[in-house]
Amino acid sequence: MQILTDYAALLIPVIILVVVVAVLIALMLISRNYIKVSPNQAAVISGRKRKLSDGSTAGYRLVRGGATLVFPFLEKVEYLDLNVITVPLATQRAYTVQGVPVSVKAVANVKIKGDDSSLRAASERFLGMPQQVFHQLVFQTLEGHLRAILGTLTVEEINNDRQSFAQKLLTEAAGDLEKMGIGLDALTIQEISDEEGYLDALGKRRTAEVKRDAEIGQA
């Protein structure tokens, strides 16, 4: 009986030590796998299937601007950047409806949209993609629409109403970008030029008209 008592006395500290070590390991695993996601990021956690609101299933879940526990060995975490990205556009010798080649410089501000549908579309297309490749993809999409719109306008329409020109590009390109989960925040036309001297001729003609009107007014 004494032996059992001594054995129990030795066993209790060992059990307590094992429990403490197990609790510490559990806490360490939780702390290492409890992730916090800032508002300008979206965490894509893949590895386990889950049912979406529309009834379909996906092998990943999305967390934006919050925190979640990632199951070790079963799930992995990757991130989408939701910051605004500035994409410079430079189109050379795009032909207008008159057949006049013009060059346009513009700047577009784009970002991956934060709603669930857009995040799913973007994660399936851009997750792990280098930023340079992402920039190139957006550039090619915008440039294609830019050239198409230039082909429907005259040089005068492009040069005199740049705001309307930019709005047309926003409207045309927004649909294709939204399919990829990208939002087009703003687009600014910076410069319009041509190598044929068409714009210079327009300016000289306008200057002559102003001088003529001034002389008629004085007379």
Side-chain angles (χ1 to χ4, degrees):
M1 189 68 180
Q2 182 63 37
I3 295 175
L4 291 174
T5 303
D6 293 341
Y7 181 75
L10 292 173
L11 189 59
I12 290 174
V14 173
I15 293 174
I16 294 174
L17 180 61
V18 170
V19 171
V20 170
V21 170
V23 170
L24 290 175
I25 292 174
L27 290 174
M28 184 174 64
L29 286 173
I30 290 173
S31 64
R32 288 181 60 183
N33 292 280
Y34 187 76
I35 63 167
K36 297 177 181 178
V37 186
S38 59
N40 64 334
Q41 285 183 322
V44 183
I45 304 161
S46 55
R48 294 194 307 149
K49 289 188 177 181
R50 63 186 295 268
K51 184 172 287 189
L52 303 177
S53 57
D54 59 2
S56 60
T57 58
Y60 60 90
R61 55 193 174 98
L62 300 165
V63 178
R64 179 197 172 195
T68 188
L69 182 63
V70 179
F71 288 87
F73 312 114
L74 296 179
E75 295 180 323
K76 72 172 183 177
V77 184
E78 296 174 276
Y79 293 92
L80 284 173
D81 188 355
L82 305 184
N83 287 319
V84 173
I85 299 172
T86 300
V87 179
L89 293 172
T91 301
Q92 303 293 326
R93 295 187 65 82
Y95 286 88
T96 66
V97 71
Q98 303 152 303
V100 179
V102 296
S103 299
V104 177
K105 289 184 179 181
V107 172
N109 290 333
V110 302
K111 69 181 295 294
I112 294 175
K113 299 171 69 176
D115 60 281
D116 287 346
S117 178
S118 298
L119 289 176
R120 286 199 297 270
S123 63
E124 292 171 4
R125 290 168 174 81
F126 309 125
L127 200 61
M129 178 182 288
Q131 193 174 59
Q132 184 178 0
V133 179
F134 177 76
H135 277 218
Q136 185 66 21
L137 187 148
V138 174
F139 169 81
Q140 290 174 347
T141 302
L142 291 174
E143 186 191 33
H145 285 287
L146 178 58
R147 286 183 175 274
I149 292 171
L150 286 171
T152 66
L153 301 174
T154 65
V155 178
E156 289 83 354
E157 289 172 332
I158 297 167
N159 189 56
N160 295 339
D161 194 353
R162 297 189 182 189
Q163 185 63 35
S164 177
F165 174 39
Q167 186 59 46
K168 286 183 179 180
L169 180 55
L170 278 169
T171 304
E172 290 288 332
D176 283 348
L177 292 175
E178 285 179 359
K179 292 176 184 176
M180 299 184 286
I182 301 172
L184 184 54
D185 282 359
L187 189 142
T188 303
I189 305 298
Q190 295 179 314
E191 181 183 333
I192 299 171
S193 61
D194 76 293
E195 299 175 1
E196 310 296 329
Y198 193 96
L199 288 171
D200 287 340
L202 286 178
K204 290 177 181 178
R205 186 176 69 184
R206 180 56 183 159
T207 301
E209 289 174 352
V210 171
K211 289 182 178 179
R212 182 197 62 198
D213 292 343
E215 291 172 355
I216 291 175
Q218 289 178 352

